[in-house]
């Protein structure tokens, strides 16, 4: 949902920066690796200690590498299957670190087992949502559905809420409640999206099987 519009906007904004990196001899793969490392550091260093504001700032600075590396590859004319594979794989690692950081906070100083479980569900469901589309496409199906909550929505909802919740440390009262609310929204939205994709793959596979059977009997 957000991917369609947000990517187009930030691609235009970040194009000059991507060109600058290329002129300095930086490779798209290096940007992918550095960006993932930055996101992991922001999530696993700050979030487990409850420093949500600063963790979100660090993550936000590095999360745009997901747009910069692809932009660089297109400008340089070096887009490749390897680059796409690396980018997609490390996206999953970064997502896992973010929700893992939330889970570590609630398992430790946050002292809330229910929210720890919700964060873990967000982590797992996000991975499975991505897998269902990749696996469906791998067996030759179009998987013609995006779903309610994709990666962009998961990141925006959770990081905006975390950043605002972090303002509690600066004296803003009651705002820390936004993070639990966001995690529940992401969990429910991810479940709905997973169901949407599973239903779509089931329908498309039945249609493909019926078509193959019809062609075999013709």
């Amino acid at each position: 949902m957000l991917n369609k519009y947000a990517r187009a906007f930030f691609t235009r904004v970040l194009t000059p920066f991507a060109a600058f990196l290329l002129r300095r001899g930086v490779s798209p793969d290096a940007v992918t690796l550095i960006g993932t490392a930055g996101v992991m550091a922001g999530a696993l260093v700050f979030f487990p200690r409850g420093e949500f504001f600063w963790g979100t700032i660090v993550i936000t600075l590095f999360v745009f590498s997901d747009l910069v590396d692809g932009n660089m590859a297109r400008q340089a004319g070096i887009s490749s299957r390897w680059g796409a594979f690396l980018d997609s794989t490390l996206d999953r690692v970064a997502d896992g670190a973010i929700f893992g950081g939330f889970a570590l906070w609630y398992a430790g100083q946050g002292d809330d087992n229910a929210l720890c479980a919700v964060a873990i569900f967000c982590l797992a469901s996000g991975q499975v949502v991505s897998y269902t589309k990749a696996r469906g496409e791998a067996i030759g199906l179009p998987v013609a559905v995006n779903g309610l909550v994709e990666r962009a929505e998961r990141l925006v909802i959770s990081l905006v809420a975390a950043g605002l919740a972090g303002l509690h440390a600066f004296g803003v009262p009651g705002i820390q409640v936004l993070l639990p609310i966001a995690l529940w929204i992401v969990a429910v939205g991810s479940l709905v999206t997973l169901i949407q994709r599973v239903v779509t793959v089931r329908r498309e596979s039945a249609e493909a099987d019926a078509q193959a059977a019809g062609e075999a009997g013709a």
Side-chain angles (χ1 to χ4, degrees):
M1 191 183 299
L2 287 176
N3 281 337
K4 179 179 178 181
Y5 302 103
R7 279 188 172 271
F9 171 75
F10 284 112
T11 294
R12 290 194 298 272
V13 171
L14 295 171
T15 292
F17 180 61
F20 170 80
L21 293 177
L22 286 172
R23 290 195 299 270
R24 294 298 181 274
V26 180
S27 72
D29 287 352
V31 172
T32 302
L33 291 168
I34 293 170
T36 302
V39 170
M40 292 179 66
L44 298 178
V45 172
F46 292 95
F47 284 177
R49 298 187 298 186
E51 297 177 3
F52 295 115
F53 178 80
W54 293 115
T56 300
I57 293 297
V58 172
I59 290 170
T60 301
L61 290 175
F62 284 99
V63 80
F64 286 106
S65 66
D66 186 45
L67 299 176
V68 174
D69 54 6
N71 194 315
M72 292 171 65
R74 287 189 295 273
Q75 287 191 50
I78 55 174
S79 298
S80 65
R81 291 182 176 87
W82 161 250
F85 170 82
L86 180 66
D87 185 57
S88 180
T89 299
L90 293 184
D91 280 350
R92 308 286 84 76
V93 174
D95 292 358
I98 291 170
F99 289 102
F102 292 142
L104 287 172
W105 161 251
Y106 286 115
Q109 297 179 53
D111 193 25
D112 193 318
N113 289 337
L115 287 174
C116 176
V118 172
I120 292 173
F121 179 82
C122 290
L123 190 163
S125 61
Q127 307 295 319
V128 178
V129 164
S130 297
Y131 175 79
T132 53
K133 187 172 182 66
R135 182 56 180 156
E137 291 173 345
I139 58 175
L141 301 174
V143 195
V145 62
N146 290 321
L148 181 64
V149 175
E150 296 181 273
R151 183 173 188 254
E153 285 84 4
R154 291 196 301 271
L155 290 180
V156 169
I157 293 170
S158 58
L159 291 178
V160 168
L164 292 174
L167 294 177
H168 178 70
F170 298 94
V172 180
I175 200 166
Q176 67 271 24
V177 73
L178 291 178
L179 182 55
I181 292 172
L183 289 176
W184 277 106
I185 290 173
V186 171
V188 173
S190 295
L191 178 60
V192 171
T193 303
L194 178 59
I195 293 171
Q196 287 176 304
R197 290 192 174 180
V198 169
V199 169
T200 298
V201 169
R202 177 178 173 81
R203 174 179 54 77
E204 290 178 349
S205 62
E207 292 172 353
D209 290 344
Q211 182 178 356
E215 292 174 350

